[in-house]
Amino acid sequence: MTLSKNILVAAIGLLFIPFTACKKLLDQAPINSAYAEVFWKNQQDAEQGAAGAYALVRKALTSNTEYNQNMSHFAYGSLAAFEFQDYDQYDVASLVKGGDGFNSADFIGSYLEKYQDWTPYYKVITQANIMLHFIPQIPDGQFTSAPAPTRNRYLGEAHFLRAFAYFYMVRLWGDVPLIMSYDPDPAHAQNIPRVSEKIVLDSVINDLKAAVTLLPWDLASVNDKAVRATKGAAYGLLAHAYMWRNFLNKGANTADLTNAIAAIDAVEQSGKYILLPATDYHKVFHGKSAEGVFEINMQAQYSEQQIGMGFYYSTLKRPYLDKESKLDAPNQDLINSIYEEEDLRLKYFFSSLDASNQFDVTICKFAGLNGENIVRNQQSAEGSVDANMIIMRYADLLLLRAEAYADLGNTGAALKDLNFVRARSNASTLLAEDYGDKKVLQEEVLLERTRELYAEGQRWYDLVRTGFLTNPDLNGFLTFPQDRYDAEGWKWPVARALFTSNNVLTQNKFWLGKVR
Amino acid sequence: MHRKLLLLALMGLLCLQAWAQERKISGVITDDKGGQLPGVSVKEVGTSNGTITTPDGKFTLTLKGTSKTLSVSFIGFETQTVAITGNNVYKIVMKTDQKSLKDVVVIGYQEVKRKTVTAAVSSVKGKDIENLPSPSFDQLLQGRAAGLAVQNFTGEPGVRGSFVVRGNTSLSRTSSSIRTLSSPLFVIDDIPISSDDAAAFDNTGTNYIAGLNPNDIESVDILKDASAAAIYGSRGANGVVIVKTKRGKTGKPQINLSAYAGMVEVPKFETVIGGAEERQFKLNYLKQKLTFDQQETKIPLLLTDSLNPAYSGNMDWQDFFFRNGVVQNYDLSVSGATENINYRVSGNYYDEDGTIKGTGYKRYTTSAALGLKMSQRVNVNSLFRLSRGDRSRGRGQFPGEDVIPLTNGQYLSSLYNLSERDKQNLVGDYPGSRDKNINDDITASITLNYDITPQLRFASTGSVQSSVNSRDIFRPGALSLLGLAYAQSSRSRYENLNLDNTLSYYTSLFNKQHHVNVLLGNTINNVKNEFTGIGSGSQGNDNLRVVQGYNKDYLLYRDAYGNLVSGSDYQSAGMLSFFARVNYDYKEKYLLSFAYRADASSRFGRDSRWGYFPSASAGWNISDEPFMQPFKKWIDLLKIRGSFGITGSLPNGYYLPFNTYNTNQGGYGGSSGVTYNGVNAVTPNFRDGVAQAGLTWEQAKQSNIGIDATLFNGRLNIIFDAFNRGTSRKLFDLILPATTGYDKVNTNAVDIRNTGLEFNIQGRVMSPSSKFQWNPGLILSFVKNQIVSLPDGGRDIIVSDDNLGMTYILSKGRAINEFYMMKSLGVYASEKDIPFNPYTGEKLTYWNGNHTVQAGDFIWVDQNGDYDVWDWNDKVRTGNPNPFCTGGLSNNFTYGRWSLQVYSTFTLGRDIYNKYMSDRLIGMVNNYATIAAIDPNSIDSWRKEGDHTKYAEVIPYSNKYYYQFLPFSSAFVENGSWFRIKYLNLSYMMGPKFLERTKLSKVQFYGVIDNVAMFQKSSVPDAEAVDERGTYNGAGYPLPRKFTLGVNVGF
């Protein structure tokens, strides 16, 4: 009987286990991942979250078609901008050669839908909004460097990246939904309609102004040079944003031009940037150089280079990469018509220009004329390009300032910037007497930007902004119809997939009824 | 093994009988109507002394023992014990066995009599699935339980088929084969196991149930309706399968040895033309079909360069990959019980060769069950089971690779002359390569029963199940183009801890006419999944077959499917439950039952973690009513029962309330980097979605009406059920607006309804006294599956399977995963049949005008009338892959000691997609020279003007190819119904004389043919070997035929 009693006691004890063990049993938190409640607690979290935001930008700019052309930045900025005359890949070829009734820039070509989708940019914005919400809550004691400037730097980066994402979208789609705050409950998020591109752009400019005050000129780590935002990057993007607002306002408000000039003046006056000699062009494209203002890190140093299916990979072959063919045919007519023979950029940017097969003409600026930026290692037997994606560099900003001066009719200042950039490449000095006509000067600025920034994902926006998109003489004799330009057909259509999850969206007017 | 047994048996024959001076008794045995029964076994209890009755029902027996009792048994009658008195002559009347009335049914934590049960429960006895050549019991239940649909769609030994109770409720926006179908909760010896949990860290791909030896099973009860399943609350929504294993039974120690062995036969092959004949055949055909220019450029060297030794093979690919194998099984068990102790110890070895070389499954199990009666009030039962499953997967496969390394199951040309190395590699014989794939399961449980009073019992069961799945791969460098060796070693462990405490009280009131049975209990359950693994390629040394000294650049973090290879992982989830059940009956005539369960799971947020699951049911044994007295002669039992209740199902995710963050997010298109500028990039888990604090249980409301009837003295048994199960709050991914940054949110968003009818009809055709017996049985289940509501205002959802290229649709009011494609109405026989656009005068085009339709093209229906087919608006629903009717038909014949079982199973009313054929036609268009040569004339495709055919014209290397053979059209949708004679089982029981001489208690010989014959409508090789979503793609593993011979010996 005592046995039975003992068992009874034990049994009653067992019955109580649930109550004592309840908490442990039912409150089980994951240890296989971080989660919101435990993240954003110290400087390391802020640093890694910021790196996450940059990584999201990089993903957005290398996003994919349905045929693995991970090169959205170049597809948007260069393929449709007449810098190529052919591209041997069905999906993105329609940007170069047209189709579906378009003679170029067929944005609705089959398998291009992923490029009509703005989702990747909203991931950047969400991350930036989360940073702006949580980083102020990190206690000072949790910073390993001086709390105030460190915190400001991360906040400045968040403002910069949010501005960058909106600016990128505004140039592609125009009006977009504007989300400017952290949403603690995205599961119940409302459908947000698109707002005017001007409002979005105003928000971009405000963010950049905040970034300018929060960010430092120099980063603590030299290793972060140009691949993390600085005051210089914020000023540079601010200048681009002003120029775009000037375009949207159709030049109605010259303050945008003077503001753009002022922003670039600030960059110049900081003394932090120089133009590298032409012989060092490969160093500019390798990245983190004294010319770089803002770049996306794609260096082999941390195995972050793009090994396959990216723009650099697809546009190179032997002797740069150990493969037999490449996909692009650069626009020989444009190249032949814009460069002077002694212009060193011809030499450092292109090889096999005289090839009979258009697909043999190679843009070698990223790889380096002599393959300086090619790495071969065990991951990539064919080799890969060890070069950052250059978003803004000093030459770009100087030429942008030239554009602003030209728009203002200040020929002397415009030519000063043009000639400063041209001098590096041994191009002839442009003389004021040749540019009495404002239009001619503006054309020259556009062409100079083309010469300097060929295939860097900038020309499309230059053409749209200046309106020279429709001028065949500036585009290797290829045309973009004026009526399409006037109907804002330079904007991309909004992807069909976006409408299924947001019922208040509207399509861009040119594409109404055209998107399948 | 067989030979030894036979020898043993022969030796037994030689034994001399011992002589003794004993008394002789005699008698006559009749049935209750006075008919004399021949062949009845009369045994003296406690000895092997016995006899059988003569044709006029008489017997004589010389008594030898001291027990003074006789045991009288005969099939179809209740076994009787007769006391031996002073009389020497006995008249024994045998009672018809109304077995079904006495059967007990397990309904979760308790057993009740079949007569008083008010729930819908299907039961299968262990005996019915004994000694059939299959590694796991789930496959054997096919067609044996009403309401259960089993499709053994793979013949790969040790791999899981589909197992669905009362219709599928699982649906998803993305395709994932593991969770395509809903699966029930298994409760094996009181341990609840969710297959989704067990499969979450599945490392070996082996069916986790295969570790349980089917021959150890005593009974399987499938709780189908809410009344039965509500006691398992949050996990009962998709049914509960309760498995009880065998325990020792009172009597002297019994030693049972059972063994069978036999052959596994390769399925029938297709006719292909090989060697020089192939070359000639293909060249002739191509010359006929190709233009002159094409002949110059398109015919590959493989066909033209007959002198090249690399292209002069005569390879039979099917023969190369397939083989006949051996299946064998040995069981040994020792069991017994005395007043205070019962025990059963068993051991098992099962070994089945797969019909694809290098594959197979071996299982080793031992189990020990021990019951101790410690005092009048206390007893303790314990169970300990160890099992190892060793499933070889052939070639050292990279994670995610197929067993046969061919694309879409399409064989290659016989002309390829493979090197010895390639051959060895392809079939997994390459010396030095290694692929060990082991499951080790440990199950232990201990139960304490304490009878506080004779009516009140406290029981506590603690159990643990631990499964370790190990995978070790090594592929030598020579097998890789880059010379990289690959090694992987990974372990996953699934641990399931369970503690049940119950108090049960039983009483009868008022002259024992009211019976009340109360159960109270609680359960604590915790499941844990752990993974550790590392996999790496290297320029290493082939003698180093483990992951050691590898270059970190080759470290594989995740495989191509995103599964972790290198790293460790850990997940754990707990559940706390309380439950109660009251069963009440009056004279076993009016029955009532209530059950209630409350569950709290750590998988939900604090405010939504408790779920409550009530159920009620009632039954009325009409046959016990006085007014039924006139029918008493032929109605033994007639019961109507009904139930309603709520059950739930747990989500697969363990940490749903947490907004998790992903680390190492630096990767981007075309890069293998994980950082941004060297810094670990951390972002919210945008891809898998945002957490939802208020997420809660999926809920199934189910009503059931059933009739149980036993008629004609137990000769006809009918169980009928009709059910309506509405599953609501199904977890489903809602696509979030892009502006949130998150791709989706997993939320309670979808409702599904399954309605159905189930019939279980068992008969005994011959009178119990007949020497010949025929017992037919029919099991039929009908299920209609319907999506009741979808998110986003009920908008259709398209699900694409990127691997197969198939598209499915989820739409309101329709079944889950219907095919979504162009409707094809055959082939345009001639040019004049092709419609043209009356506005433009242009002919119908396909694919955005890229192809102008010609004679010989498929007739695709232009749904939107824009004279172009194959855009978003031309796709329609073209087939439903959910089986409408499944079941089994059994016929057991016995004649004396012979018995024959013919068992068939079937699936009716299912559409399947014949991707095997569409892939073949693509192969013939694109790679005619390099794929296996099949006579194109054997395929019903268009050839000339006026042909009315099934498939469009097939021209090798044609530029007319307009993707017509991709899985885009209903041309390849077929009727997937099938009927299979699954088992033929012939057995012979040795007679008492033999047993007496050999001193054995039982000797039975049997032979089984598994997969006897198949009858099907569709043209796929095997209409059952079709995947969960109804697609047959040829890359699966064919179902083999097995022949076995076996013996059962009781000592």
Side-chain angles (χ1 to χ4, degrees), chain B residues 22-27 41-45 47-52 58-64 69-71 84 88 90 996:
Chain B
E22 276 116 8
R23 117 185 214 222
K24 206 174 197 179
I25 58 168
S26 65
S41 159
V42 182
K43 261 180 143 181
E44 191 182 351
V45 174
T47 70
S48 58
N49 184 29
T51 183
I52 55 169
K58 290 184 179 144
F59 74 94
T60 54
L61 185 67
T62 308
L63 297 178
K64 288 172 185 167
T69 42
L70 291 178
S71 166
I84 301 168
N88 280 350
Y90 294 84
E996 199 172 328

Side-chain angles (χ1 to χ4, degrees), chain A residues 11 26-28 32 34-36 40 48 58-59 122-123 126-127 224 227 288 297 303-308 378 496, chain B residues 458 526 551 554 569 572 574 602 609 659 661 666-670 673 675-678 682 684 738 740-741 743 872:
Chain A
L26 296 178
D27 290 339
Q28 301 200 37
N32 61 352
Y35 50 96
W40 303 113
Q48 294 184 348
R58 185 166 62 188
K59 272 185 198 164
Y122 281 100
K123 294 189 192 304
T126 305
Q127 179 85 350
D224 285 344
V227 299
K288 299 185 182 176
N297 193 60
S303 300
E304 291 174 26
Q305 84 277 26
Q306 203 168 15
I307 294 162
Q378 287 155 326
R496 189 179 45 209
Chain B
F458 171 77
N526 198 81
N551 183 334
Y554 292 110
D569 206 345
S572 168
S602 71
R609 69 169 46 139
N659 257 322
Y661 277 62
Y668 64 98
T675 54
Y676 181 79
N677 197 31
V682 177
T740 61
D743 292 347
W872 285 86

Side-chain angles (χ1 to χ4, degrees), chain B residues 226-240:
Chain B
S227 161
I231 201 72
Y232 287 100
S234 62
R235 292 185 285 181
N238 293 311
V240 181

Side-chain angles (χ1 to χ4, degrees), chain B residues 620-635:
Chain B
W620 179 23
N621 272 318
I622 305 175
S623 49
D624 287 0
E625 293 290 349
F627 63 79
M628 289 296 282
Q629 209 52 41
F631 310 102
K632 199 72 196 165
K633 265 197 172 144
W634 59 278
I635 298 181

Side-chain angles (χ1 to χ4, degrees), chain B residues 588-614:
Chain B
E588 293 195 351
K589 192 155 69 177
Y590 307 112
L591 317 163
L592 277 176
S593 173
F594 301 95
Y596 192 81
R597 175 153 170 153
D599 281 323
S601 167
S602 71
R603 299 182 199 218
F604 299 112
R606 203 162 298 212
D607 302 330
S608 55
R609 69 169 46 139
W610 280 98
Y612 306 98
F613 306 95

